[in-house]
Amino acid sequence: KKKKAIGIIEKDQEKYDNAWADIAGLEAVAIDQKKKQAEINSLLIDIQKALEGMKYNVDSAISRRHSQHKISPSSHPAKFRHLKKHFEASIRAIHESMQMTYLTKPCQVISSLPVLYAQAAALNDHFKGKVKDLSMNLDCTPCVSSVKKKDRAIEKLYRSYYGNAARLLDLVRALISFETLSGLHACLEKIKEDPTIGVVGFKNRFKLENNSSSAGYRNIALNIIIVDDVTIAHGTSRHICELQLGIKRLDDLRSEEGHKHYVEWRDMIGE
């Protein structure tokens, strides 16, 4: 069964692998190609370091960001305390949910599917605006989506998550597709500088070696929360969303036919 599943996505996987080999200079021969490979490898290391360094520092990040808008602990102490309190409470609630359910990965603080969908509906437009803000002045294309379809969410819920709706982290999701890895890295830096965004988990599918993951497709998937006046007012500051950061050349290979192959592969291996 597993062999048959691999056969379904084999050709698509080869396309992704070949494109990635070219992007990352993995088949370098000439001196200039080897230089390109060294630069890409260095950039990939920087990307991984940026991801690992995204542990949120509430005091410094809020102070730094809000000082640009004349909001600081000294000039606007009530505003500062308000945002800091809600951010810390959101992070703490997510960690406590993980401990209570014995999970090592982030999870929603609520396990009711109807409530999660109500939150997703309330949050989605605001999330789209945040994604567009992150995309500004970068060579990229933001691809925002509607809330995840219920039939796929329920399928994933019982196939992969044993009925635990708290593990559904992509009801609200988006992709930003970059022309270059350096543009993707610049976006990660913007995310680190934004005090309203908390990264609670990530998956880095870019590898220095040419190994395939997720049927050959490569990107970065961030699990984030947004804590600002809007999400606090709507009760969605603890709702985890998924933001994917990809490379356009790889994203363009995700044709309709290729996606069908991926769905067949995913269904066969039970993901």
Side-chain angles (χ1 to χ4, degrees), residues 92-201:
R92 193 180 303 114
I94 291 168
H95 287 168
E96 287 174 356
S97 293
M98 290 170 62
Q99 291 170 357
M100 288 174 63
T101 52
Y102 302 101
L103 295 174
T104 57
K105 295 179 181 179
C107 63
Q108 305 285 6
V109 299
I110 291 171
S111 58
S112 165
L113 189 60
V115 174
L116 287 172
Y117 262 100
Q119 288 183 339
L123 177 60
N124 200 51
D125 284 345
H126 187 57
F127 176 76
K128 288 179 183 179
K130 178 62 74 175
V131 170
K132 288 177 181 177
D133 288 344
L134 291 172
S135 305
M136 285 182 64
N137 302 319
L138 295 176
D139 194 5
C140 64
T141 304
C143 307
V144 293
S145 306
S146 56
V147 174
K148 192 179 190 76
K149 291 181 179 178
K150 291 180 182 178
D151 56 350
R152 170 56 186 150
I154 292 170
E155 178 185 64
K156 192 173 183 180
L157 176 62
Y158 288 100
R159 177 180 287 171
S160 304
Y161 298 150
Y162 305 100
N164 184 1
R167 295 178 66 182
L168 289 169
L169 307 182
D170 62 346
L171 298 184
V172 177
R173 67 268 168 86
L175 163 71
I176 306 178
S177 188
F178 297 87
E179 294 291 338
T180 63
L181 280 167
S182 58
L184 187 151
H185 183 242
C187 185
L188 285 175
E189 293 299 324
K190 286 180 77 172
I191 292 170
K192 282 175 66 178
E193 292 296 314
D194 191 326
T196 68
I197 296 177
V199 177
V200 296

Side-chain angles (χ1 to χ4, degrees), residues 215-230:
Y217 179 65
R218 293 165 172 84
N219 70 356
I220 288 171
L222 302 174
N223 301 128
I224 68 171
I225 57 171
I226 300 172
V227 185
D228 58 18
D229 289 335
V230 174

